[in-house]
């Protein structure tokens, strides 16, 4: 009965069989990535190649899912600190004001970025804004320098503006962020650069899928006093009376340094929060893309295996028909 069934199948497949000799579709063990030519001039990819690709995609999907969970855990730890830090710099903005349009001679652009990648375009955004500020505040009598925090901004700015980089600080997030660490960092910046205005570029965290590129401006005590005397908008500073032995200049010096450290602390936390949120989104998209790719590879694998089985069946039927004829 089996032979009779084979003969019936052979008569049904007879019009499809090529008159020339048929070569089985098998991949060479030495060259598993090559495609072999099958009947009727068709080409079939090796099932072993597809299996290897499916295995690689599955491993990548596992890694991206794990990275997403790690980023979510870090985000929860940093988010509370970030929300609490916003209360530090806001009183200084009300007192000393924030004048991004202040026209000064010595500008320092403090660019905050991450040390690691795989977090979307968050670092590229900060670098673009920093370059725009540098171009905007450049002129024949003006000087603009960079202070870079993070490996990613360093890698991009060193290529184009190496001569304008004053200070580079990396591995800031190697240890958990706290105010003591950032205040030491701010003191180091103030000791090594001369400035009339410090323009801090960072990404302000809003949600896991949203962050806003932000620029905070910290003016030097001399510029603050000059702006106050010229009737510029500097918050409510002039409504307070100075008491004690310190002069107004000394108080402004202390306030400016404290404002910079508080603003830096908030900016670093906001950027770290935005980084983890962007990494979560990027890894989630990568996991979904890996799943879609795995579905396509599974379909290709099934079709390839089915084509191979069909070819083997045609060979058996043709052989049986030849023996009987």
């Amino acid at each position: 009965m089996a032979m009779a069934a084979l003969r019936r199948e052979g008569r049904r497949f007879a019009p499809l069989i090529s008159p020339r000799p048929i070569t089985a579709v098998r991949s060479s063990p030495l060259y598993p990535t090559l495609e072999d030519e099958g009947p009727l001039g068709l080409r079939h990819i090796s099932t072993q190649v597809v299996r290897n690709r499916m295995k690689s995609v599955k491993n990548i999907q596992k890694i991206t899912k794990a990275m997403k969970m790690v980023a979510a855990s870090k985000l929860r730890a940093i988010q509370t600190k970030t929300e609490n830090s916003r209360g530090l710099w806001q009183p200084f903005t009300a007192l000393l004001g924030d004048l991004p349009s202040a026209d000064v001679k010595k500008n320092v652009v403090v660019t905050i970025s991450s040390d690691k990648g795989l977090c979307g375009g968050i670092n590229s955004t900060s670098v673009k804004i920093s370059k725009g500020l540098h171009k905007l505040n450049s002129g024949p009598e003006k000087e603009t320098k960079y202070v870079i925090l993070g490996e990613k901004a360093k890698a991009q700015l060193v290529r184009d503006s190496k001569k304008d980089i004053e200070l580079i600080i990396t591995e800031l997030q190697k240890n958990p962020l706290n105010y003591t660490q950032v205040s030491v960092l701010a003191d180091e910046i103030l000791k090594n650069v001369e400035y009339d205005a410090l323009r801090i570029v960072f990404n302000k965290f809003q949600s896991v899928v949203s962050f806003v590129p932000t620029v905070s401006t910290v003016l030097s005590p001399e510029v603050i006093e000059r702006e106050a005397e010229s009737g510029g908008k500097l918050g409510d500073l002039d409504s307070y009376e100075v008491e004690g032995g310190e002069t107004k200049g000394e108080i402004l010096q202390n306030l400016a340094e404290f404002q910079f450290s508080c603003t830096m602390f908030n900016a670093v936390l906001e950027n770290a929060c935005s980084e983890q949120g962007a990494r979560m989104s990027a890894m989630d998209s990568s996991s979904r893309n890996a799943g879609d790719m795995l579905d396509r590879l599974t379909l290709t694998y099934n079709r390839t295996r089915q084509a191979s089985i069909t070819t083997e069946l045609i060979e058996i039927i043709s052989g049986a028909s030849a023996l009987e004829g």
Side-chain angles (χ1 to χ4, degrees):
M1 291 182 65
M3 291 300 296
L6 285 173
R7 283 195 294 272
R8 286 197 300 271
E9 293 295 328
R11 284 193 296 272
R12 204 171 77 179
F13 282 99
L16 300 176
I17 299 175
S18 173
R20 61 185 174 84
I22 297 174
T23 306
V25 180
R26 295 189 183 91
S27 61
S28 170
L30 296 177
Y31 306 97
T33 60
L34 296 178
E35 294 178 345
D36 302 311
E37 188 174 353
L40 305 178
L42 299 176
R43 296 178 70 82
H44 302 280
I45 190 170
S46 169
T47 55
Q48 182 63 38
V49 174
V50 182
R51 279 200 301 269
N52 290 340
R53 290 180 182 173
M54 289 171 65
K55 185 178 179 181
S56 299
V57 173
K58 284 180 182 177
N59 291 336
I60 292 171
Q61 190 178 39
K62 289 178 183 177
I63 293 170
T64 54
K65 285 182 177 180
M67 290 184 68
K68 178 187 174 183
M69 289 189 289
V70 171
S73 176
K74 289 182 178 180
L75 177 62
R76 283 193 296 270
I78 299 173
Q79 191 170 359
T80 305
K81 286 184 178 180
T82 304
E83 292 171 354
N84 294 334
S85 71
R86 289 172 184 169
L88 285 175
W89 64 270
Q90 289 170 349
F92 286 104
T93 303
L95 180 64
L96 301 176
D98 189 350
L99 297 176
S101 59
D103 188 16
V104 295
K105 291 184 178 180
K106 294 182 179 180
N107 290 276
V108 176
V109 180
V110 183
T111 306
I112 300 176
S113 69
S114 65
D115 289 316
K116 299 179 181 178
L118 299 177
C119 52
I122 185 172
N123 297 311
S124 299
T125 304
S126 297
V127 171
K128 285 179 182 177
I129 293 175
S130 299
K131 288 181 178 179
L133 286 172
H134 186 278
K135 186 176 181 180
L136 185 65
N137 293 286
S138 297
E141 297 181 357
K142 293 182 179 180
E143 182 183 18
T144 304
K145 296 291 184 180
Y146 286 113
V147 171
I148 300 173
L149 276 69
E151 285 284 351
K152 293 304 173 179
K154 170 190 169 184
Q156 295 185 51
L157 290 173
V158 163
R159 291 196 299 264
D160 304 328
S161 310
K162 188 174 182 179
K163 61 183 178 62
D164 294 326
I165 297 174
E166 194 77 18
L167 187 63
I168 298 175
I169 300 169
T170 57
E171 297 185 357
L172 182 61
Q173 299 181 39
K174 192 173 183 179
N175 299 315
L177 293 169
N178 55 61
Y179 179 75
T180 304
Q181 178 186 1
V182 177
S183 62
V184 172
L185 174 67
D187 188 54
E188 186 72 18
I189 294 173
L190 293 176
K191 286 179 180 178
N192 287 278
V193 298
E194 294 182 2
Y195 73 97
D196 290 329
L198 291 160
R199 306 184 188 276
I200 306 167
V201 181
F202 63 98
N203 294 283
K204 186 177 179 63
F205 178 78
Q206 286 192 328
S207 67
V208 175
V209 294
S210 176
F211 59 88
V212 179
T214 307
V215 179
S216 291
T217 304
V218 177
L219 301 176
S220 66
E222 295 80 10
V223 176
I224 293 174
E225 195 166 4
R226 188 181 67 212
E227 290 288 333
E229 290 174 356
S230 63
K233 185 180 177 182
L234 282 175
D236 299 327
L237 179 63
D238 292 334
S239 62
Y240 293 91
E241 293 183 4
V242 178
E243 296 181 356
E246 294 183 340
T247 63
K248 187 177 180 180
E250 292 173 345
I251 292 175
L252 285 176
Q253 179 72 32
N254 295 333
L255 283 175
E257 292 178 0
F258 193 38
Q259 180 191 13
F260 179 58
S261 62
C262 291
T263 306
M264 277 288 295
F265 181 54
N266 174 252
V268 168
L269 287 174
E270 293 276 5
N271 200 80
C273 221
S274 301
E275 175 194 348
Q276 298 303 334
R279 184 169 287 118
M280 277 184 62
S281 299
M283 292 302 102
D284 183 56
S285 298
S286 298
S287 299
R288 287 200 304 270
N289 291 339
D292 294 341
M293 186 180 292
L294 194 58
D295 292 340
R296 292 196 297 271
L297 286 173
T298 302
L299 183 61
T300 303
Y301 174 76
N302 291 335
R303 285 178 176 174
T304 304
R305 187 167 59 89
Q306 186 178 3
S308 179
I309 293 171
T310 303
T311 305
E312 296 282 352
L313 183 60
I314 291 174
E315 289 180 358
I316 294 171
I317 294 169
S318 300
S321 299
L323 289 174
E324 194 175 86

